[in-house]
Amino acid sequence: MNSILKLAQKKEKETELSAKPKPPDSWLEISDSVSQRCIFDSYGHLSINVLKDTRPVYQRLVESFLNKFFPSGYPYSVNEGYLTYTQFRALQHFSSAALSVLSTQSLLFAAGLRPTPAQATAVSWILKDGMQHAGKLICSSMGARMDSEPKSWRILADVLYDLGTGLEVISPLCPQLFLQVAGLGNFAKGMAVVAARATRLPIYSSFAKEGNLSDLFAKGEAISTLFNVLGLGAGIQLASTIASSMQGKLIVGPLLSVVHIYAVVQEMRATPVNSLNPQRTAMIISDFIQNGKISSPADLRYRENLIFPNRLIPQSGSVRVGKPLHESLNPKTLPQLTQIFSDEKFLVSKKGSNRYLVLESSATGEDALRGWLVAAFCDEVERGSDEDKMEVLVEARERMRRVFPSFVSGVKGRGWHVDQFLDGNGTRFKY
């Protein structure tokens, strides 16, 4: 009986012990300059207490700035070029915000008012936001083109913005045309805002390395906000001093605009966009044909033509893509072409001195790479033989099929997204 009682008491004690919360797990993390205690409480929450921190004040400030304005894990969590992009993005927003104060003050002068710089700052937000609706209507049909060439459209957006701002700055020179000048200026700025916002996501996506797109976006917007505020402060100071007169604005305004456009061009050049469009595909094929090398997005970023992105590259076959079918091939050759490329989602043809690539409606980036390789190999075959056009296409297609498995594997390995081909509003076929 006593043994049974002792056994029951033992089980009761074990039950009481198991019911109590587990003691917290803790450990010390010690580095050269920081010691901290990390504790998991009984509910699994982690708390960190700094026990010792011998870092200089400036180092603490720098690390605090990086934590607030750069993605977690920087620089290992982003692709190459992010720091350069961020530096010029800050300069771009600073100069743009300062310029906006001068333009708004000029608008109110032209309307017969005499605002203080602080009033101009407040009104600038109202005017800018009010024009976004008109810009959306105009730019709504251009979204596919912005996906294809986000960097070029981002630069165009800032050029439009500065054009609109410039019209606002000079509006006091023609007060009788105030409504027309101010309306045109705000219209241009409204289009610019929409184009800038539409291209923001593909640009941020090119830097995301570890599924951290939201973190990149949040930190990028934090930097934009910070330097917009600093730029507004600088604009208020300029509007109160050297740019308080029209002569001063005509000197300071163009200088700020030059800095602004320079910053956004450098910002875009540093961006390694990893989606396939006509220009980047042609450059990949050109490097592969010439030296067997597969270039990465970082390799091509400074070589992209951001002003004339539709230029032809002879080394990749001088291919035109996205043209209507009647411009791309002779209707008489269509049965032969569809037979040669019966198991492909593209057609390659030569009409006059130009070579054309026509994609099927569901073609992906891989299909575009296959077609572009065929077009490039056609040039090589033509230079070395007297075969007719159809025989050239057949031989070029066979060459493509031999090299494509290793080629596309290398393209993917270099960081390119081949699941889609962004040809803007280019024409595709379906049969």
Side-chain angles (χ1 to χ4, degrees):
M1 185 70 179
N2 289 335
S3 60
I4 295 175
L5 182 60
K6 287 180 181 179
L7 182 61
Q9 289 175 345
K10 184 178 180 181
K11 287 184 176 180
E12 186 177 347
K13 286 183 180 180
E14 289 178 353
T15 304
E16 289 177 357
L17 288 174
S18 63
K20 292 181 181 179
K22 294 181 180 179
D25 296 322
S26 65
W27 67 93
L28 290 176
E29 292 186 355
I30 302 174
S31 65
D32 293 338
S33 55
V34 181
S35 300
Q36 54 190 18
R37 181 187 298 276
C38 304
I39 303 174
F40 273 116
D41 62 21
S42 56
Y43 299 101
H45 300 145
L46 176 65
S47 61
I48 300 176
N49 299 319
V50 177
L51 303 178
K52 182 181 179 182
D53 191 345
T54 60
R55 294 176 299 172
V57 174
Y58 76 88
Q59 186 178 348
R60 297 185 201 179
L61 292 174
V62 169
E63 292 188 8
S64 176
F65 179 85
L66 290 176
N67 289 335
K68 287 181 174 61
F69 295 102
F70 282 78
S72 299
Y74 175 85
Y76 306 106
S77 61
V78 296
N79 285 319
E80 184 179 347
Y82 183 74
L83 179 60
T84 303
Y85 167 84
T86 302
Q87 290 170 335
F88 284 107
R89 181 174 174 80
L91 179 61
Q92 170 212 342
H93 281 279
F94 180 87
S95 56
S96 175
L99 188 58
S100 71
V101 175
L102 303 185
S103 68
T104 304
Q105 188 184 49
S106 293
L107 274 178
L108 298 179
F109 275 137
L113 302 175
R114 292 294 180 267
T116 65
Q119 289 170 331
T121 305
V123 174
S124 67
W125 289 97
I126 300 171
L127 293 177
K128 179 181 70 173
D129 292 341
M131 284 306 300
Q132 289 181 11
H133 302 294
K136 287 178 182 178
L137 293 174
I138 298 299
C139 293
S140 61
S141 62
M142 303 179 186
R145 297 180 186 178
M146 295 178 193
D147 281 333
S148 178
E149 290 289 350
K151 298 202 284 187
S152 296
W153 277 91
R154 186 65 181 84
I155 293 172
L156 178 60
D158 283 88
V159 170
L160 283 172
Y161 187 89
D162 281 10
L163 174 63
T165 303
L167 289 171
E168 293 176 349
V169 169
I170 65 171
S171 59
L173 298 178
C174 45
Q176 69 279 9
L177 297 175
F178 169 76
L179 183 60
Q180 293 88 333
V181 173
L184 184 59
N186 279 309
F187 183 74
K189 289 172 71 174
M191 292 183 63
V193 168
V194 174
R197 290 183 177 179
T199 55
R200 193 175 300 168
L201 185 60
I203 290 171
Y204 277 132
S205 299
S206 66
F207 288 109
K209 194 174 183 180
E210 300 175 351
N212 57 343
L213 180 58
S214 296
D215 191 21
L216 271 167
F217 191 89
K219 299 300 172 56
E221 294 307 292
I223 289 177
S224 300
T225 301
L226 172 63
F227 282 91
N228 268 325
V229 171
L230 294 177
L232 289 171
I236 291 173
Q237 185 63 29
L238 288 171
S240 304
T241 54
I242 59 176
S244 59
S245 65
M246 178 52 64
Q247 291 83 355
K249 286 183 176 62
L250 292 177
I251 294 173
V252 175
L255 290 177
L256 287 173
S257 182
V258 168
V259 172
H260 179 213
I261 298 301
Y262 171 77
V264 76
V265 169
Q266 296 304 316
E267 181 186 336
M268 292 301 102
R269 292 186 68 210
T271 304
V273 176
N274 51 13
S275 57
L276 293 178
N277 71 350
Q279 180 178 200
R280 288 188 287 275
T281 302
M283 295 169 73
I284 293 171
I285 299 297
S286 174
D287 290 348
F288 179 72
I289 294 295
Q290 286 184 289
N291 50 39
K293 171 189 172 185
I294 299 176
S295 299
S296 69
D299 295 331
L300 298 185
R301 56 189 171 141
Y302 285 107
R303 292 165 49 195
E304 287 186 71
N305 191 325
L306 302 181
I307 307 301
F308 301 105
N310 295 323
R311 65 193 173 107
L312 298 180
I313 300 178
Q315 295 81 2
S316 65
S318 298
V319 177
R320 296 181 183 273
V321 64
K323 298 297 181 183
L325 205 63
H326 67 273
E327 294 182 14
S328 304
L329 51 85
N330 188 329
K332 295 179 180 179
T333 64
L334 185 57
Q336 292 174 290
L337 292 175
T338 54
Q339 183 178 1
I340 293 173
F341 299 109
S342 59
D343 54 349
E344 302 286 359
K345 293 185 178 181
F346 62 84
L347 300 175
V348 176
S349 67
K350 188 172 185 180
K351 188 177 181 182
S353 59
N354 298 318
R355 200 172 298 280
Y356 293 88
L357 172 63
V358 184
L359 296 172
E360 198 261 332
S361 58
S362 62
T364 65
E366 284 196 32
D367 296 312
L369 288 169
R370 293 172 70 90
W372 222 292
L373 273 175
V374 170
F377 285 142
C378 280
D379 278 0
E380 288 190 350
V381 174
E382 283 182 346
R383 286 195 295 266
S385 69
D386 296 325
E387 297 176 349
D388 63 31
K389 292 182 180 180
M390 296 304 160
E391 290 177 348
V392 167
L393 285 173
V394 171
E395 184 173 342
R397 183 200 61 189
E398 294 306 313
R399 286 194 186 185
M400 177 273 293
R401 290 180 174 177
R402 286 195 296 269
V403 304
F404 191 76
S406 60
F407 170 72
V408 75
S409 176
V411 169
K412 293 177 181 178
R414 296 291 278 167
W416 292 101
H417 293 170
V418 300
D419 54 332
Q420 56 183 331
F421 181 71
L422 304 174
D423 51 351
N425 289 334
T427 302
R428 296 195 178 195
F429 75 95
K430 186 175 183 179
Y431 65 90

